[in-house]
Amino acid sequence: MFNLILFGPPGSGKGTQSEKLTARYNLKHLSTGDLLRSEIQSQTSLGNEAKKLMDKGHLVPDEVVIGMISSALDANPNCDGFLFDGFPRTSAQAEALDKLLDMKQSPIVAMLALDVSEKELVKRLVKRGETSGRSDDNNDNVIRERIKEYHRKTAPVAEHYNKQGKVVLVKGEGNVSEIFDALCREISSRIIPKT
Ligand code: B4P
């Protein structure tokens, strides 16, 4: 299995690039944001609780998202690999993911980290909020809080994988296809072993 993490702050292009990468490399896309929004849409009790936190720009508890990822891994035993998007978002989630993948003897190969300035992040999320209907995108204070949560709780996840020598920093500003090409170059030249 070939497992990648696409990492970056809210609005850095994780969802956008994940769609293209999963199509190119035939990976199973696992986005905890999408899984949570689907629970909200179905009005499950998990979704209703998650919505309260997401609407404030806060993270959902670790045990909830770890449980969702664990079920998704079990539900896809035969895929070529996973692309994790928006997960792990805390050090506890990173440790749990490493354990789950150790059991499958298929560790993370690399963390592709999108680098985008805060000014650009806010601009993108405000713009998406005009049309997406996402309640966490149409309020400036919530957007700022999500970025603060990222610095408080998520940025340390990069250090976790840096210690394992797996972090690849990629410039996340520019047009979508240029960024996609840069990600593909990293995957092809540095990650997939040449035969
Ligand atoms: P996510 O769904 O992961 O959402 P996100 O980080 O806001 O968005 P993403 O990064 O995917 O968006 P993209 O840049 O592609 O999380 C939402 C919430 O769910 C979190 O705040 C949290 O509450 C909860 N949650 C999720 N996972 C969790 C976890 N593991 N633990 C706890 N809580 C969790 O796109 C942004 C915009 O930029 C789009 O409009 C896009 O079109 C645009 N864009 C993308 N690339 C661009 C480019 N190159 N140029 C210009 N615009 C671009």
Side-chain angles (χ1 to χ4, degrees):
M1 266 193 188
F2 183 73
N3 299 317
L4 293 173
I5 295 171
L6 190 57
F7 185 77
S12 55
K14 301 184 297 289
T16 306
Q17 297 294 337
S18 288
E19 258 181 56
K20 295 166 78 66
L21 289 171
T22 47
R24 166 75 62 95
Y25 294 102
N26 198 28
L27 300 171
K28 174 76 187 160
H29 181 203
L30 289 185
S31 156
T32 39
D34 287 352
L35 292 170
L36 289 166
R37 281 185 289 277
S38 148
E39 294 281 340
I40 292 172
Q41 186 91 31
S42 309
Q43 298 192 328
T44 63
S45 57
L46 188 159
N48 293 338
E49 287 310 305
K51 183 170 181 356
K52 289 182 203 156
L53 293 161
M54 290 163 77
D55 281 352
K56 289 188 198 142
H58 294 160
L59 295 183
V60 172
D62 287 336
E63 57 276 20
V64 172
V65 284
I66 292 167
M68 289 190 326
I69 288 290
S70 175
S71 309
L73 294 180
D74 289 344
N76 294 280
N78 298 320
C79 68
D80 292 346
F82 293 96
L83 178 68
F84 297 95
D85 160 11
F87 181 90
R89 249 176 163 101
T90 64
S91 299
Q93 291 178 23
E95 279 159 25
L97 179 63
D98 287 355
K99 278 196 194 128
L100 287 169
L101 293 177
D102 275 354
M103 285 192 279
K104 296 184 183 300
Q105 295 178 314
S106 55
I108 291 297
V109 174
M111 170 188 267
L112 302 165
L114 291 168
D115 187 23
V116 179
S117 71
E118 184 160 333
K119 193 173 159 209
E120 173 72 11
L121 297 174
V122 175
K123 194 173 105 189
R124 287 183 191 177
L125 293 174
V126 168
K127 188 164 171 237
R128 183 170 67 182
E130 290 166 6
T131 53
S132 67
R134 269 180 61 168
S135 46
D136 57 345
D137 278 346
N138 59 19
N139 177 317
D140 269 20
N141 291 334
V142 174
I143 290 174
R144 301 257 174 218
E145 185 58 24
R146 284 160 64 194
I147 295 172
K148 275 193 207 149
E149 278 280 86
Y150 169 81
H151 288 297
R152 275 193 295 253
K153 297 179 181 166
T154 306
V157 174
E159 192 41 41
H160 175 96
Y161 287 101
N162 202 23
K163 284 189 194 137
Q164 301 179 15
K166 293 178 177 171
V167 178
V168 179
L169 196 65
V170 175
K171 186 169 164 256
E173 293 189 36
N175 72 48
V176 170
S177 58
E178 277 168 11
I179 298 165
F180 177 63
D181 289 344
L183 289 166
C184 291
R185 275 199 299 279
E186 293 296 347
I187 293 172
S188 307
S189 70
R190 301 178 57 166
I191 298 166
I192 293 177
K194 291 203 170 76
T195 50

